[in-house]
Amino acid sequence: MKTLDVNQDKLFFSTFMFRLEHLERRIERSNQIMLEVQCDKHTFLICEEGEGHLYIGQEYWPFTAGCIYPISPGEAYQLEHRNSNHLTYTVMAYDAFQVLSGHLKWYSPPLFQQRAQFNDATYESVSRVLVELFASRNYKNDAEYCNLNVGFQRWMERIITRYTTKGTDTNSESRLTRTIQYIDECYRDEITVHKLANMADVRPKLYTTMFKQRTGQKPLDYINHVRIQHAKDWLRKTDEPLRDIASRVGFKDEYYFNRRFRQITGLSPRQYDRSIQQQTLVQDWLGHDVRIPANPERVIYYGDTAGDLRVLDIHLIEDEEYNAGTPINVEKTIRLKPDLIIIDSEDEHQYEQLTRIAPTLAYNSHAPLHERLTRVGDWFGRQKQAERWLSSYEERTLQMWEKINKIIHLGETASVLTYHRGARLFVMGNIGLAPLLYHPFGFRPVHKVQEALAAGRAYKEISADTVQEYAGDHLFLMLPQEPDARQATEKLIQSPEWRALTAVRQGRVYPLEELAWNSGDAQICDQLLERLPELLGSHLS
């Protein structure tokens, strides 16, 4: 008899009965963030195609094809989907009843506490059952309902078996490890995902999911990365033709070798060879090894935190359109003739386009300010300058909070709200103005915002109906430039829900122009050290 340890009490699955209540397949368009969903029943979220992020309270999980996550009644989840492909997933809600002493009782505590325990070989065995469930879900009579319920019991049998069987994780993990070792050692061989999946004894799609969870890269990207690293060594020590070097490291096609080399390094093989002595090898946010000019003079930055570069005296091409996070125009970028491009994006296709123009670095403007400035300092040999700036900034931040704490009470909370992309309302987490407000000597985040921060979230989409759950003692309301978002902001201010908020009734709301206030840009952060005390002082005096 298989057992499950929940809260250290032994529960026997033989005492449970399960009933399927709802089965729905959802397809979300690209680059979408869904509203938080509160579950009133036991639920499985099953990712069938695409990639995203899943947040459950303070927990964060990758949501990729083949992943299955259990959610308990009373828990809330939110999906973020940022890739260009659609995200297809299934929501399966069900009731659990426990039979004890002849009595049937609805059961709400968690049945499965190890959420990630289903995410290797299980999906292969349950996917067929899922197809059967969808085929029979539109039942028309009792007999067809019984057939659906029998199918659901098969699903639960697969799930419970997987959850309670010992050793499966270790075996699948060891098989995956062996395939990675095979790539590292036999990179010259012809290697396909199907070949690797067969070695790991899982289907190719699931193997890709497992591989990416382990390495952060898809299998073919990892293979190319290993081959290019060895190609760099050959370029340093030999003058052999490129076709020979390509063959040595596993590329049959010289053109493909050139394209992948440029994609990963930012340079063609011969450019890399000629420029080793004149350039600095750095690694960007996404792990690309990039040779950049030792003293770049024409830098283009695509992103929202150009001030991170300016405070360290990095020269940018002074073109507002191309240093303010606007959509990338490849043709104009070529005309501007940059010697270095920095892009705040994890879009590999976009990255590859830009590497054809100039060495390109991927940058994460959502990272903490200290991490960002340290990275820029390392890239451009300005580590000491970055350290001095950060030390001065922290000292002045403490002085600022000493002033502010004379007019606010210890433990007061604050929230930052803003509309984006039309009528979509967000509460800010660890980017923009919020990190400054949530300094150890500053305001406290409310519980719901603290959950988002604990999960490492930059922001969280919320509905106007739930704004009271995210509103602190002080509300910083950003006024966006986009007309639809601005109109939605004005509508919120006129709503009864808004007027009922304690901060609104007490006059502790600060409407602020978003471009001037809600940025993690180092220059703007520096300016806010003067502006924030003035704002609060004039408002609370």
Side-chain angles (χ1 to χ4, degrees):
M1 184 177 295
K2 295 179 173 63
T3 63
L4 170 67
D5 189 355
V6 178
N7 296 327
Q8 299 182 354
D9 294 324
K10 293 294 181 180
L11 297 177
F12 295 92
F13 274 111
S14 60
T15 66
F16 284 94
M17 298 175 62
F18 305 104
R19 181 179 65 192
L20 180 63
E21 281 293 312
H22 180 72
L23 183 66
E24 178 186 2
R25 177 174 284 121
R26 298 176 182 174
I27 301 177
E28 306 292 349
R29 68 179 188 272
S30 60
N31 297 311
Q32 183 71 22
I33 303 174
M34 283 66 84
L35 286 174
E36 188 173 66
V37 177
Q38 187 84 21
C39 293
D40 58 0
K41 295 183 180 296
H42 290 282
T43 301
F44 288 113
L45 288 184
I46 306 143
C47 185
E48 298 183 59
E49 186 175 7
E51 298 180 2
H53 297 158
L54 172 65
Y55 296 92
I56 307 173
Q58 297 184 17
E59 300 176 19
Y60 159 79
W61 301 97
F63 196 62
T64 56
C67 286
I68 303 172
Y69 292 101
I71 302 173
S72 303
E75 290 188 314
Y77 70 88
Q78 187 171 24
L79 285 169
E80 291 187 0
H81 171 44
R82 301 185 182 282
N83 294 330
S84 56
N85 297 323
H86 287 186
L87 178 68
T88 303
Y89 64 102
T90 292
V91 180
M92 180 187 294
Y94 65 100
D95 285 319
F97 301 93
Q98 191 174 27
V99 183
L100 294 174
S101 302
H103 297 288
L104 191 66
K105 182 181 179 182
W106 187 72
Y107 190 84
S108 62
L111 284 166
F112 309 99
Q113 290 192 340
Q114 304 299 321
R115 295 196 203 273
Q117 195 153 325
F118 305 112
N119 294 334
D120 62 30
T122 304
Y123 192 72
E124 179 68 21
S125 62
V126 300
S127 59
R128 291 187 294 273
V129 180
L130 187 62
V131 171
E132 294 171 5
L133 287 175
F134 272 105
S136 58
R137 66 172 176 162
N138 296 319
Y139 57 87
K140 298 178 181 178
N141 53 50
D142 288 344
E144 291 181 358
Y145 172 76
C146 287
N147 182 56
L148 172 65
N149 196 48
V150 168
F152 180 63
Q153 303 312 313
R154 283 201 302 273
W155 168 276
M156 291 303 297
E157 184 270 330
R158 302 286 203 285
I159 289 291
I160 292 170
T161 298
R162 172 66 189 88
Y163 192 81
T164 56
T165 300
K166 302 294 184 183
T168 305
D169 285 333
T170 302
N171 292 337
S172 62
E173 284 296 312
S174 63
R175 293 196 299 269
L176 176 63
T177 299
R178 284 199 297 271
T179 66
I180 295 173
Q181 292 173 342
Y182 171 75
I183 294 170
D184 291 340
E185 296 171 3
C186 303
Y187 58 90
R188 301 177 188 84
D189 295 352
E190 183 176 350
I191 305 175
T192 66
V193 174
H194 278 80
K195 180 177 182 178
L196 296 170
N198 287 336
M199 292 173 63
D201 195 25
V202 296
R203 61 191 177 84
K205 194 176 220 180
L206 181 55
Y207 176 80
T208 297
T209 298
M210 295 168 60
F211 192 96
K212 188 170 183 181
Q213 288 175 342
R214 168 73 78 84
T215 67
Q217 294 178 283
K218 294 179 180 178
L220 292 180
D221 291 337
Y222 183 86
I223 294 166
N224 286 329
H225 181 81
V226 171
R227 288 170 171 169
I228 294 303
Q229 293 304 109
H230 286 279
K232 289 179 182 178
D233 293 336
W234 282 105
L235 284 166
R236 292 189 190 101
K237 64 186 181 183
T238 183
D239 292 325
E240 289 184 359
L242 288 183
R243 63 177 178 275
D244 293 344
I245 293 176
S247 178
R248 280 183 180 275
V249 298
F251 290 102
K252 292 185 177 180
D253 186 312
E254 182 181 343
Y255 170 77
Y256 185 72
F257 166 63
N258 272 277
R259 187 158 67 90
R260 288 303 178 196
F261 195 101
R262 182 183 283 277
Q263 179 187 29
I264 292 173
T265 68
L267 299 168
S268 72
R270 285 309 179 203
Q271 286 174 327
Y272 176 86
D273 186 24
R274 290 193 298 268
S275 63
I276 287 173
Q277 301 303 320
Q278 291 79 32
Q279 296 193 339
T280 303
L281 179 64
V282 301
Q283 189 172 79
D284 71 5
W285 168 47
L286 297 179
H288 305 117
D289 291 324
V290 185
R291 287 274 175 182
I292 68 172
N295 296 292
E297 297 181 354
R298 297 187 59 78
V299 181
I300 288 181
Y301 175 68
Y302 288 112
D304 297 321
T305 55
D308 294 356
L309 303 166
R310 293 191 179 106
V311 298
L312 296 185
D313 300 320
I314 307 301
H315 177 72
L316 299 177
I317 296 177
E318 293 302 330
D319 185 321
E320 285 188 18
E321 183 181 351
Y322 284 86
N323 291 299
T326 57
I328 294 172
N329 183 318
V330 174
E331 292 182 3
K332 183 166 184 180
T333 304
I334 294 172
R335 290 198 299 271
L336 289 172
K337 297 181 179 179
D339 54 13
L340 178 65
I341 301 170
I342 302 175
I343 177 175
D344 177 15
S345 172
E346 46 188 322
D347 187 327
E348 287 288 353
H349 174 70
Q350 199 171 64
Y351 177 87
E352 185 176 356
Q353 282 185 311
L354 294 176
T355 60
R356 297 190 183 106
I357 303 171
T360 303
L361 294 167
Y363 187 63
N364 181 14
S365 66
H366 290 179
L369 178 61
H370 182 277
E371 181 180 321
R372 299 197 319 263
L373 265 291
T374 300
R375 183 182 291 276
V376 173
D378 289 342
W379 282 350
F380 295 97
R382 305 187 185 187
Q383 296 91 339
K384 293 295 183 182
Q385 189 173 344
E387 290 173 8
R388 288 195 298 270
W389 191 94
L390 288 166
S391 177
S392 172
Y393 176 75
E394 183 57 32
E395 182 179 345
R396 287 178 290 118
T397 301
L398 290 173
Q399 294 171 354
M400 180 199 72
W401 282 112
E402 287 178 0
K403 293 180 185 178
I404 293 177
N405 285 332
K406 294 176 182 177
I407 56 176
I408 67 171
H409 299 294
L410 184 65
E412 288 188 18
T413 59
S415 306
V416 182
L417 301 172
T418 184
Y419 274 95
H420 271 296
R421 305 168 193 166
R424 298 176 64 185
L425 179 61
F426 294 83
V427 61
M428 305 307 293
N430 61 13
I431 62 169
L433 174 63
L436 179 60
L437 297 180
Y438 299 144
H439 187 275
F441 294 101
F443 293 108
R444 304 274 79 80
V446 298
H447 176 71
K448 282 283 192 178
V449 175
Q450 180 58 50
E451 284 186 350
L453 291 170
R457 305 189 69 172
Y459 45 78
K460 178 179 180 180
E461 184 173 5
I462 64 175
S463 65
D465 295 338
T466 62
V467 69
Q468 71 277 2
E469 299 177 31
Y470 297 88
D473 300 319
H474 298 258
L475 281 174
F476 294 81
L477 181 64
M478 297 299 150
L479 304 177
Q481 296 294 305
E482 182 188 3
D484 290 345
R486 192 85 168 210
Q487 185 177 356
T489 305
E490 294 169 358
K491 183 178 179 181
L492 175 68
I493 293 173
Q494 300 302 321
S495 69
E497 293 84 1
W498 179 262
R499 292 175 178 174
L501 297 176
T502 300
V504 177
R505 296 200 310 270
Q506 294 182 351
R508 294 182 171 184
V509 177
Y510 315 98
L512 304 168
E513 290 297 331
E514 184 172 34
L515 288 180
W517 284 82
N518 198 33
S519 171
D521 181 306
Q523 277 187 320
I524 292 180
C525 286
D526 201 30
Q527 296 166 9
L528 292 181
L529 296 183
E530 297 293 333
R531 299 170 69 183
L532 186 59
E534 294 174 358
L535 173 71
L536 294 173
S538 62
H539 209 82
L540 299 176
S541 59

